[in-house]
Amino acid sequence: KVLPVSRRLCDSILSWVAFAEEGGMSSLGFTPPAIYCIGLNYKKHAKESNMPEPAFPVVFTKPPSSVIGDGEPIAIPRVCVDEVDYECELAVVIGKLCKNVSEDQALDYVQGYMCANDVSARFQQLKHGGGQWCRGKGFDTFCPLGPRLVPASQIPDPNNLSISTTVNGQVLQ
């Protein structure tokens, strides 16, 4: 079950206008200036993390250097070799610039949805980051996306999707 998250996060979110008729990072044509993320947005994940459900969205960003395409190798920095974790996520791709959009109109700005892997270095995130999640989630290659963008018109209710993480043929999440 998804925790309530304000759709007003459309404020200043980037425009990904040309991402994917061909499907894949090469069709992006530019590097997004930032990736905006919401932490602990699933009740089950908050529980398994032994963290309380947040009263307000936990917002963090990932830099452009974190974005890679589906199947590209994730480079694990030497400072976090034994602490890297994965999280399957639904990436919401904003297709046109927006600001001060009402909650009723927010989904009108969504171009589509993609699979995302929120790669995380947990010690850097929770113990060494000073409370800022960006420290452990923003390393280069820590945001694989894809394999393709699914147009919003093909997903009438994004809250009704199932996502999972499969590693070496085994479903882990």
Side-chain angles (χ1 to χ4, degrees):
K1 192 98 177 159
V2 177
L3 295 174
V5 173
S6 170
R7 292 201 176 139
R8 286 185 219 118
L9 287 171
C10 271
D11 274 5
S12 74
I13 291 183
L14 57 118
S15 174
W16 281 44
V17 182
F19 189 78
E21 315 275 310
E22 295 99 44
M25 294 304 292
S26 61
S27 65
L28 182 59
F30 67 94
T31 302
I35 306 296
Y36 292 86
C37 308
I38 307 298
L40 295 175
N41 54 331
Y42 295 96
K43 290 181 181 187
K44 184 177 179 183
H45 183 54
K47 186 176 180 176
E48 72 188 12
S49 301
N50 293 319
M51 300 179 95
E53 293 177 20
F56 298 97
V58 175
V59 180
F60 63 95
T61 62
K62 287 182 174 263
S65 60
S66 69
V67 177
I68 58 174
D70 179 60
E72 292 183 43
I74 298 167
I76 308 297
R78 286 183 299 217
V79 297
C80 52
V81 171
D82 296 328
E83 59 167 311
V84 176
D85 201 1
Y86 50 82
E87 291 179 53
C88 56
E89 300 288 353
L90 177 66
V92 179
V93 179
I94 306 303
K96 52 189 171 181
L97 294 176
C98 58
K99 188 170 186 169
N100 299 319
V101 174
S102 71
E103 187 172 339
D104 292 342
Q105 294 178 322
L107 291 179
D108 295 341
Y109 290 82
V110 174
Q111 181 178 345
Y113 304 92
M114 310 176 68
C115 296
N117 183 353
D118 178 16
V119 180
S120 306
R122 296 296 184 203
F123 180 79
Q124 301 295 323
Q125 174 192 352
L126 301 172
K127 305 285 188 214
H128 203 202
Q132 302 300 312
W133 287 15
C134 300
R135 172 99 172 138
K137 291 177 169 277
F139 289 104
D140 291 352
T141 72
F142 270 31
C143 189
L145 297 174
R148 70 182 202 84
L149 175 73
V150 178
S153 61
Q154 293 181 17
I155 301 176
D157 183 3
N159 288 311
N160 202 23
L161 295 173
S162 296
I163 58 175
S164 63
T165 299
T166 304
V167 176
N168 297 327
Q170 181 180 1
V171 177
L172 300 175
Q173 191 180 32

